[in-house]
Amino acid sequence: MSDISITPPVEKAPQKKAISPLRAAMLDFASSPLAMIGLVVMVVMVLAAIFAPWITPQNPYDLSQLSIMDNNLPPGSESFGGQTYWLGTDPQGRDMLSAIIYGLRMSLIVAVTATLCALAIGMAMGITAAYFGGRIDTLIMRVVDLQLSFPAILVALILLAILGKGVDKVIIALVIVQWAYYARTVRGSALVERQRDYIAAARGLGLGHARVMFRHLLPNTLPPLIVVATVQIAQAIALEATLSFLGVGVPVTEPSLGLLIANGYSYLLSGAYWISVYPGVALLVAIVAINLVGDQLRDVLNPRLRR
């Protein structure tokens, strides 16, 4: 009898479950420890700014809660009432920890508001330039080139010298110096997307210009905008701090981190370093954390970098 060979059944390899693009992007983002640290710091800063009235030891701008007897106390000192000032106090007896949290709150409000307004204007201008082209594109982009040819700090200083001090004035100045970055970014992405078949199909269906621009073209230009917006928030915080340090930014009654640094600058030589240094450290940590998140977002949302 001939031997009959029995072939064992071939086991099928288990199929991997498909991962959604959003989940894949989240996993790529979480693969960077620095980006995760930056994200945690950002979340803590935002929560601290939102809940500042409830988590701070005192309202640093409520005169009834201040005592001149507690002025210029070093970090870790206790007041006559037994309160511990972990980061010391300033010449007015304000708790520096509370002042920094309130200052961070103002810096974030100004930066985020200015970024959102500039983003909206820049998106509209960039999409319009890319979609219509021709003279409209030339006109808008020449304005953008003119805007970007001047240093942002110089333009902001000139605007605030004309408009005067105030939170709203600082926001307007930041919007004017930032919108051009978004316009150029959107235009570059929209010029590529405009050549796609789905845009031609939308036009062939007789859809209006506004619907094609903002319903079909704009969503496909968002990934680079998210990256630019994240980085520009950090730039806005730094620029606002510079303007406030120079005395042309937010008023004394609504101080930001930049103004806190300026208020303590004259006390550095007397040894009261904490009045200026600690707000400066908070400003540095905020900018670095946002930039870490922005850098990782750029790597995640850019297919070329991901490969």
Side-chain angles (χ1 to χ4, degrees):
M1 296 179 61
S2 58
D3 295 336
I4 300 176
S5 60
I6 300 177
T7 305
V10 179
E11 296 183 359
K12 294 183 179 180
Q15 295 181 353
K16 295 182 178 180
K17 295 182 179 180
I19 300 177
S20 65
L22 177 60
R23 182 173 176 79
M26 292 174 62
L27 291 175
D28 284 346
F29 184 89
S31 64
S32 171
L34 288 178
M36 292 304 297
I37 293 174
L39 181 61
V40 171
V41 173
M42 279 183 56
V43 172
V44 171
M45 289 191 306
V46 172
L47 292 178
I50 293 174
F51 298 104
W54 295 277
I55 65 175
T56 52
Q58 65 175 212
N59 183 344
Y61 304 104
D62 183 358
L63 296 180
S64 63
Q65 299 185 30
L66 305 182
S67 174
I68 194 64
M69 301 296 293
D70 295 334
N71 68 324
N72 291 344
L73 293 179
S77 300
E78 289 189 3
S79 66
F80 290 101
Q83 179 182 346
T84 301
Y85 297 115
W86 298 106
L87 298 184
T89 62
D90 68 0
Q92 286 74 42
R94 296 188 181 96
D95 174 40
M96 287 305 303
L97 176 60
S98 303
I100 289 172
I101 294 176
Y102 271 81
L104 177 63
R105 188 186 199 189
M106 179 55 60
S107 295
L108 289 176
I109 289 174
V110 171
V112 173
T113 304
T115 299
L116 292 177
C117 294
L119 178 62
I121 296 173
M123 283 193 307
M125 300 299 285
I127 285 288
T128 302
Y131 183 80
F132 290 103
R135 293 182 178 179
I136 296 178
D137 183 24
T138 301
L139 176 61
I140 293 176
M141 295 315 297
R142 293 298 77 77
V143 174
V144 170
D145 292 339
L146 180 63
Q147 169 74 46
L148 296 178
S149 64
F150 294 97
I153 183 65
L154 178 61
V155 177
L157 283 172
I158 294 173
L159 290 171
L160 289 175
I162 297 172
L163 299 174
K165 286 186 178 182
V167 175
D168 55 339
K169 310 297 192 307
V170 176
I171 293 175
I172 292 173
L174 292 179
V175 170
I176 292 175
V177 301
Q178 282 191 325
W179 74 270
Y181 295 100
Y182 303 107
R184 172 168 285 184
T185 302
V186 172
R187 177 183 176 270
S189 299
L191 284 175
V192 176
E193 294 297 326
R194 190 182 63 174
Q195 309 301 323
R196 306 290 187 187
D197 292 338
Y198 70 90
I199 296 296
R203 288 174 173 174
L205 291 174
L207 300 181
H209 293 312
R211 186 171 181 180
V212 175
M213 290 165 57
F214 296 101
R215 184 73 179 273
H216 299 281
L217 187 57
L218 180 60
N220 291 285
T221 65
L222 289 181
L225 270 181
I226 295 173
V227 177
V228 173
T230 305
V231 175
Q232 286 300 312
I233 289 177
Q235 294 292 335
I237 292 175
L239 184 56
E240 182 278 323
T242 303
L243 295 171
S244 297
F245 182 84
L246 295 175
V248 295
V250 298
V252 178
T253 55
E254 300 174 280
S256 64
L257 292 177
L259 191 56
L260 290 177
I261 297 172
N263 290 340
Y265 187 72
S266 59
Y267 294 92
L268 288 175
L269 296 179
S270 64
Y273 64 89
W274 58 88
I275 303 176
S276 185
V277 170
Y278 288 155
V281 171
L283 177 64
L284 178 63
V285 169
I287 293 174
V288 170
I290 295 173
N291 278 323
L292 288 175
V293 173
D295 288 343
Q296 184 65 8
L297 283 177
R298 179 198 61 192
D299 296 342
V300 170
L301 298 177
N302 191 329
R304 295 179 180 177
L305 293 177
R306 287 179 66 183
R307 284 196 294 267

